Amino acid sequence: MEIGIPKKKNFALTLTAIIFYGALMMFASIAIFNYIINGVYGPYAYTSSVLSMESLTEIFDKPVVRVAVLYSKKTEKMLPEGSTWIEDNIATWSRFLSSYKMSVDILQDEDIELGKHYGYDVLVLPGSKAISDEQVVGIKRYIDQGGSLMITSGLATFSEDARWRGWEFLSEIAGVQFAREINAQQPTQLHTLRGGLPITANIPTGFTLKVATWDFPIAMRVMEPRSTQVSFWYNYRKDDGLVDEQVSNSAGMVYGTYGKGKFVWMGFDLTSMVGDKEDYIYFDRLVHNMMNWLADIPIAFIRDWPGAHTAASLFLPVITADSSDYIRNLFPVLQRNKVRATFLVEEGAWATRSDLVKEASKYGDLAPIIDIGYLESVNDTSNKLMPLEEQINRLKSAKRELEAMTGSKVLGMKPMYGLFDDNTLTAMAQAGYNYIITDSLTDRSVPNLIIKDEKDIMVITKTVRDDYWVVRDYGLYQNDFQIYTYKEDIDRLKFEGGLYVHKSHGNYQLTPANIAVMDTIIRYMKLPHVNMWVTNLPDLYNWWKVKGKVEMRIEARGPRRIVVALSNVGGGTMQDFAVPINFTSDVQKFNISAEIIGTKLPAYTYEKESRTLMLRIEKLQKNESRIYYIDFVTSENKTTAGL
């Protein structure tokens, strides 16, 4: 019996050791698990009990975005008998949303009145002009409590029995004021999109949608800071009036917040969009961006211009064969403001005005104006441009002669009659040109990079009124009027986020009486509140070429971490660029880290009003890739650990 007692003690000690080491292994496993989850998905919330992790399911679950689309029978009753307008809109929305892999349900008017829309992430209200008072209350309560609304046309402007209710409800939700309906005398109207916004991410700045006017699209004026104007109907090419006022009074799209929720409003419906393949590609991207923003899916992009610049500008003085010496008035202005221009040199001018051309080459680069053919008339659609071999010879000859005369590289050209074709791009690639300047009015206000024979060709188009327009055609001979007109276009391009292309001539803006205007507008562009990048074509080409080769991916990993991946697959180093990341809630705290230890972290600023985190990447070398982890705390997840 005395021998058995120690055995019992040993058994108790062994059991205690097993329990102890088992508990130790369990806590170690939890710690390792916690470490891995934090490393991959970022910090997550927990309660006072370490073992009660309330956000774990949020990390692993990838919920499908649930979207409800209202089929407004009350609006349908207002339409002419046999009209399929509502039905066509619903079908179009269903097709778009299904392609985005979002769950789509069609709700009736009664469903909104009964509150069945509260279980959805986004409520789409296409052309819902006539709705009941109960629906008005239900929709307002939905967005006020955190829901997201996608609105088109004049929401709730009529009661359920087709009586005019007015714009009050839409104005309250969207923070806008009705301006006008778009005139249906023209079959289509250009609708210009701003750049630098999450809604227009990865769409060319200044892209012009073509919208049919048969449904009388709506223009609004933004009245509250919680709402942001995305686009405008104003067309500087033909519309009269004060530019700033016209732009402000012609908002065709607005997005923002109301209560705890968000909204996007469009003054037209999906079925009103017309155009070619490229138009529909960018329109699809626009709708996708809107739905992602409403569904709290992160959106990020690379801003068009380096650093904190919101727009850019170029100066293109013209030297003709009979050019006066007035163009020399520009040289001290450029030197004083530390600006280099691109001088457009008319074919033959380097022979008759070699002195002027040589002097101009000290203040910028040269781009010959070359005759490569033309169209015989406006209505002539046949191509009268020269054949490929002749274009190659003309481009090579002009480049050779100018470079021999000045000793400077010639990298750009302008067609004499503003027209070019595929042969022109091929000729440019073979002759060693990088960019082409045209007088065309195109569908964007930023350069277009076209790859031809494995070479990047940058196309610069007309974006503003030049001195032919302002001085010669308008007859504005007083400096104050000239400055005011140019500033209108500068402010429009700043608002739009595009490229201001200013062409000037010796006998107009560069005369002794008018040259001071050039100095004034350059200094105006450099003011902090304007903040334009005043650049030249060689620098712009290098920036735009490298920017086009930077690939970017953004991904949400759980509710408290965003992953941003950048990769430079281009031919040069990307310098000082900005990446805005839009958040759906106000962020109180950030922590930015990198996947690879030792990676230089970006500087950043947070714009509280727009809920945008702006990353500033100082340098991204060719073939370099970086992955940043952005962990954040919002007012909705204050219990987040680890920050």
Side-chain angles (χ1 to χ4, degrees), residues 501-541:
V501 182
H502 184 99
K503 193 163 65 171
S504 55
H505 303 79
N507 293 330
Y508 291 96
Q509 203 59 64
L510 306 183
T511 63
N514 295 330
I515 190 61
V517 172
M518 299 296 292
D519 188 75
T520 300
I521 64 174
I522 292 174
R523 287 188 285 108
Y524 179 72
M525 290 174 178
K526 292 185 174 184
L527 291 175
H529 77 278
V530 181
N531 195 23
M532 272 190 167
W533 180 37
V534 184
T535 186
N536 56 72
L537 270 170
D539 288 349
L540 177 63
Y541 174 80

Side-chain angles (χ1 to χ4, degrees), residues 434-452:
N434 292 342
Y435 44 84
I436 181 171
I437 302 113
T438 80
D439 289 326
S440 302
L441 299 172
T442 59
D443 59 359
R444 66 194 67 197
S445 62
V446 289
N448 189 15
L449 206 64
I450 300 174
I451 299 176
K452 196 65 182 177

Side-chain angles (χ1 to χ4, degrees), residues 316-521:
L316 308 177
V318 180
I319 302 176
T320 62
D322 59 350
S323 187
S324 70
D325 288 337
Y326 286 154
I327 199 166
R328 286 192 168 96
N329 294 326
L330 181 63
F331 299 160
V333 174
L334 297 174
Q335 191 172 33
R336 184 163 55 250
N337 288 283
K338 299 180 180 179
V339 172
R340 292 183 67 79
T342 294
F343 293 89
L344 306 180
V345 185
E346 190 177 82
E347 195 168 11
W350 48 87
T352 60
R353 296 307 314 268
S354 60
D355 59 331
L356 189 58
V357 174
K358 288 179 182 178
E359 190 175 356
S361 67
K362 300 175 183 178
Y363 299 94
D365 65 302
L366 305 175
I369 301 174
I370 306 174
D371 183 3
I372 56 172
Y374 60 95
L375 298 181
E376 290 185 344
S377 69
V378 175
N379 297 321
D380 187 357
T381 57
S382 59
N383 194 341
K384 302 297 182 182
L385 297 180
M386 296 174 182
L388 176 60
E389 287 303 319
E390 191 167 354
Q391 290 198 43
I392 292 174
N393 291 336
R394 283 179 173 268
L395 266 63
K396 284 185 175 180
S397 176
K399 181 180 176 70
R400 183 172 56 251
E401 291 179 22
L402 267 180
E403 288 183 342
M405 174 187 295
T406 63
S408 303
K409 280 284 187 182
V410 172
L411 300 173
M413 59 86 66
K414 179 185 182 302
M416 181 175 290
Y417 300 102
L419 304 170
F420 70 95
D421 59 8
D422 194 63
N423 284 339
T424 310
L425 299 176
T426 301
M428 290 179 65
Q430 293 191 24
Y433 286 84
N434 292 342
Y435 44 84
I436 181 171
I437 302 113
T438 80
D439 289 326
S440 302
L441 299 172
T442 59
D443 59 359
R444 66 194 67 197
S445 62
V446 289
N448 189 15
L449 206 64
I450 300 174
I451 299 176
K452 196 65 182 177
D453 294 345
E454 299 183 358
K455 182 177 178 62
D456 297 302
I457 305 292
M458 184 173 69
V459 180
I460 301 293
T461 58
K462 192 170 186 175
T463 61
V464 299
R465 299 168 289 188
D466 61 18
D467 61 350
Y468 274 173
W469 205 329
V470 173
V471 182
R472 184 188 67 184
D473 299 341
Y474 287 177
L476 300 178
Y477 299 112
Q478 293 186 32
N479 286 182
D480 288 347
F481 292 159
Q482 295 168 7
I483 292 169
Y484 182 85
T485 306
Y486 290 135
K487 281 185 177 181
E488 281 192 316
D489 283 341
I490 293 170
D491 291 342
R492 174 176 59 82
L493 265 296
K494 174 187 177 293
F495 179 75
E496 194 175 308
L499 175 66
Y500 179 93
V501 182
H502 184 99
K503 193 163 65 171
S504 55
H505 303 79
N507 293 330
Y508 291 96
Q509 203 59 64
L510 306 183
T511 63
N514 295 330
I515 190 61
V517 172
M518 299 296 292
D519 188 75
T520 300
I521 64 174

Side-chain angles (χ1 to χ4, degrees), residues 609-625:
E609 185 175 316
S610 62
R611 297 175 178 175
T612 300
L613 176 69
M614 191 70 69
L615 303 183
R616 291 282 298 274
I617 314 297
E618 183 179 322
K619 185 183 294 186
L620 189 66
Q621 304 279 4
K622 178 184 176 183
N623 298 325
E624 182 183 3
S625 296

